[in-house]
Amino acid sequence: RVRSSTKKRDSDNDKLCRKCGRENIGKYKKQVWLGCSKKPCNYWVHAVCVNVIVKKEEHTKNIDYYCDEHIKTFL
């Protein structure tokens, strides 16, 4: 799951990255976000905060990201 930092989020807590705790990183207003692929999990992070480096959101279409809680199901 991917979203733009410019899209409206459900709540104030949903505006913050679960890794760095910020909405924006540095001077950049548009961030690439990744959401946990396990539904209905609402865990969102900046792609760069989990070491996924992409220039555009469409480059993340085939990425499955799982939060710390749900990744345990694969271990």
Side-chain angles (χ1 to χ4, degrees):
R1 295 174 20 196
V2 179
R3 73 169 175 210
S4 168
S5 63
T6 58
K7 291 182 183 175
K8 185 175 172 68
R9 297 187 190 90
D10 296 334
S11 69
D12 286 341
N13 287 341
D14 197 29
K15 293 180 182 180
L16 304 177
C17 172
R18 298 300 265 308
K19 291 290 183 180
C20 74
R22 296 181 285 174
E23 182 174 6
N24 296 314
I25 300 173
K27 62 182 177 182
Y28 304 103
K29 296 295 180 193
K30 186 171 180 177
Q31 310 291 322
V32 175
W33 290 77
L34 295 176
C36 182
S37 295
K38 179 80 172 177
K39 293 183 174 136
C41 186
N42 197 29
Y43 190 97
W44 290 93
V45 294
H46 298 118
V48 297
C49 289
V50 291
N51 298 317
V52 175
I53 308 301
V54 292
K55 290 185 178 183
K56 297 180 181 179
E57 289 179 22
E58 57 264 18
H59 296 155
T60 62
K61 286 182 181 176
N62 295 322
I63 295 175
D64 286 328
Y65 169 75
Y66 292 92
C67 69
D68 295 340
E69 183 66 30
H70 291 117
I71 195 68
K72 293 175 186 175
T73 62
F74 297 103
L75 301 176

